[in-house]
Amino acid sequence: MDNFQFSSIEKIILTLSTLTCLGSFSYEVWRRFKIVLKGRESLPFDQFGKRCWRVVREVLFHEKVMSGRFWPGLMHGLVFWGFLVFGLITINHFATGFGVPLLSSSFHHAYSYFGIPFAILVLIGIIALAYRRFITRPKYLGKTSPTSGLVAVFIAILMLTYIFGEWDLSPLVWKINWWLHTSVILGFLWLVPRSKHLHLVLAPVNIFFKPFILPDHTPVEIDLEASEEELDNMLASLTKMTMNQALDVFSCVECGRCTEVCPANRGGGILDPKNHFMLDLRDPLMETGDVDVLAQLNVEAGWECTTCQACTDVCPVGNNVEKSDEIRRLEVLVEGKVPQEYQKLFNNLQESGNTEGAFSSPLADSLPRYNSEMEYVLWLGCFARYGLDPDFENSVRSFTKILDAAKVSYGVLEKEHCSGDPANRLGDKLTFSMLRGHNVKELGGAKKVVTLCPHCAVNLGSEYAKYGEINYKVEHHTQVIERLLNEDKIIVEKGEKGKVTFHDPCNLSRMMDEVDAPRKAITSVTNDFMELEESGRKTLCCGAGGGLWWKKETKGRTHLVRAEQVVESGADTVVTGCNFCYGMMKQGLGALTPDDRSAINVKDVADIVAENMITS
Amino acid sequence: MNICVLIKQVPGSEAQFNVSGDGSWIQETELPYEMNESDNYALEEALQIREQKGAGEVVIVSLGPDRCQKVIREALAKGADRAIHINADAPYNTDPYSIASALANAVKDERFDLVLSGLQSDDLGFGQTGVILGEMLGMTTATLVVGTEVQEGKIKVKRELEAGWFQWQTMDLPASLAIQSGLNTPRYPSLKGIMTAKKKEIKKLNFVDICNVDELQSFAGLSVQHAEKQTEMIEGNIDQIVNRLVDVFKNEIRIN
Ligand code: SF4
Ligand code: SF4
């Protein structure tokens, strides 16, 4: 190949076209970065090592790309790893055109023993992906895009011309082949920033900056004593995206995984997070060149969201997909447009500090009152405290039975108010801040808090911490039970009858990242444990999250899809770790279980453990 | 167009009531309160009419103890311009005639084109105050209003009659309308509204100073009805069961 010479004309053409394409590429990327940089807050560099390791896992190893969609993910992996393998070859390819090849021809030849098989793998990958996109056409991919087709053809040509170029060719044929390869690479440079293929550049960056805390709703600090100007500034900020959010929109690869896992969408709602929460923002961002675009989100879609975070957790390019918080806070705080049932709920929260507008709780009155000698504050939450499902009282008693047996001291707060979960998730940040203020004071002396409600746990923990330091540690009761089992503080036997399965609550699995503790507890009392198809962090929401428990009329079947899966699983008992899931399961299962099957038991982790505890 | 909206604060609909010691009223401490439901719709209707007309004032008039400030602020936060609070403790707030006359006194110098009130209060449910006040102020009056349409010097209202029938009626202004729940979609106070409400005027009056009614209605006694569930297992052969069922339907539940 050393003897192939490029004429000056060729070099001029090559120089001009390379500069044009590189220039256009940089310009397009810069245009988008400029918009990102207008965003609120900053891009985080904390926990640097952890962030880098995540990039390695999710980019290099394709962890998220392959999880859930293994074969397409692997095919994508082949193409991606091909990009890395051919990086050096590509640089050398251009250098050759300028007459200064970097690699000796013997090295180039030796590399081809590795390069050619890899090129074949890339070909297999891209053909499989194109077959899926244009022949099988899974629904969640959405409309077939012509640029995807073009990219597939480009990649195929690149591989073929590479393989072809390794043959002994006549100078003319070699030259034609060389130029073909070159034009496709330049075409790529032109195309990438103008299409979803920009994820090639942005995904690694986006994954690096992705927040660690789920959900990543930014706090809304409300100071009722602030001046009018300060208030106006605060309200104006609510329509502005953060840097991270804007970066997400440009990184989205339109794979549709977020919509595929969305419980609202699967239940027949209109909500389609890929479009409503991501792509709908792309044009406004580009057209206005600014981040002040959140008011353009679809409001109806925003109210359907259960805030389950499945979309965010599944996204392969590291997007924080969910935007219901942005939509709802605008509707509540700026527009004052709130569905009537939620107005009632907010009024109850403001007037009585709980969701039900109640002034007494027989359950709370019957439990020990917390004092500073005690180890734990037992946080009940409105669901248990005011009997949103009266049977759940038994689960609380199961848990206190466990604590008593293990001689762990605990007490409830007399003036426990709602943790603020429904207000927070429904966008009423003012009511949330009132409740937070009250509870932080009540929890003043506490060191450890345990609760059966993961919604409360998330709010008392990571959500409150967004507004200021908290001095207590919040645990979910399954975590305490697991520890008591590990320390042999309670003794159980494997006495549970029938097939047992576990429904992971979103707040516990995705937001608290806890999937082992409940399993450890359940498998210590049964030999017959089975997983649901969607389990662990990939769980499907029961339909009650995001304040939807209080929604009066639901058009879709979001509240039934999960219960249906439990029925189909054939389990005799479904265990949950969340009072809302417990309530939803009980409501859904009764109606969905066929007549010829006996009723499916719904239990909390505390129930199943307490029932199989050996008390001395 | 200047509109007066009568707003009452009532115990929350899910609240647990206890009769006070002397049996004259309910125990008010520890009760959650809210804006009377139909008043909330009346307020929304007033705000919408004002928005349509683009001019005029919405003035809240509320009668009750200090705690009423909460619903007054809420109404101001939603967009009302100012308020008149007539301070009155039980039993002064239990008699529609004296309440109406106090209200009439309080607003006699105002020039309202419309007085909107909720159809009835969710606590006492007399459903009279708006109409009596309208009469006292020499206005035309209508109840059970489920739709309004302001015209030149007049207002066309849609009234709900029995059995799914409606009536359209054109009335002269000024008018006092008792509004039925459900005719619009009430808004929620925005943060901006809550902040600006703090600066709005609330004029304070005392019930005893402005009510010229000497004899107030009073409650002889208040009691909570205890509904008891009785379950009877009907046993025997089919004839006996059917006979007993018919007997229950006829003589105990009295289905004709
Ligand atoms: S947001 Fe993420 S999961 Fe959703 S379509 Fe875009 S890349 Fe795919
Ligand atoms: S948070 Fe859950 S319900 Fe909301 S858009 Fe994402 S997947 Fe759908």
Side-chain angles (χ1 to χ4, degrees), chain B residues 236-249:
Chain B
N237 62 31
I238 290 193
D239 281 346
Q240 287 166 324
I241 293 174
V242 170
N243 281 336
R244 176 68 190 130
L245 266 180
V246 171
D247 182 51
V248 169
F249 283 152

Side-chain angles (χ1 to χ4, degrees), chain A residues 414-429:
Chain A
E414 183 190 0
K415 296 208 178 93
E416 174 191 308
H417 277 182
C418 172
S419 68
D421 171 75
N424 191 14
R425 297 288 178 249
L426 288 166
D428 189 350
K429 306 290 175 177

Side-chain angles (χ1 to χ4, degrees), chain B residues 83-101:
Chain B
I84 301 170
H85 176 202
I86 304 167
N87 213 311
D89 283 313
Y92 299 125
N93 53 3
T94 58
D95 180 329
Y97 184 74
S98 59
I99 289 172
S101 46

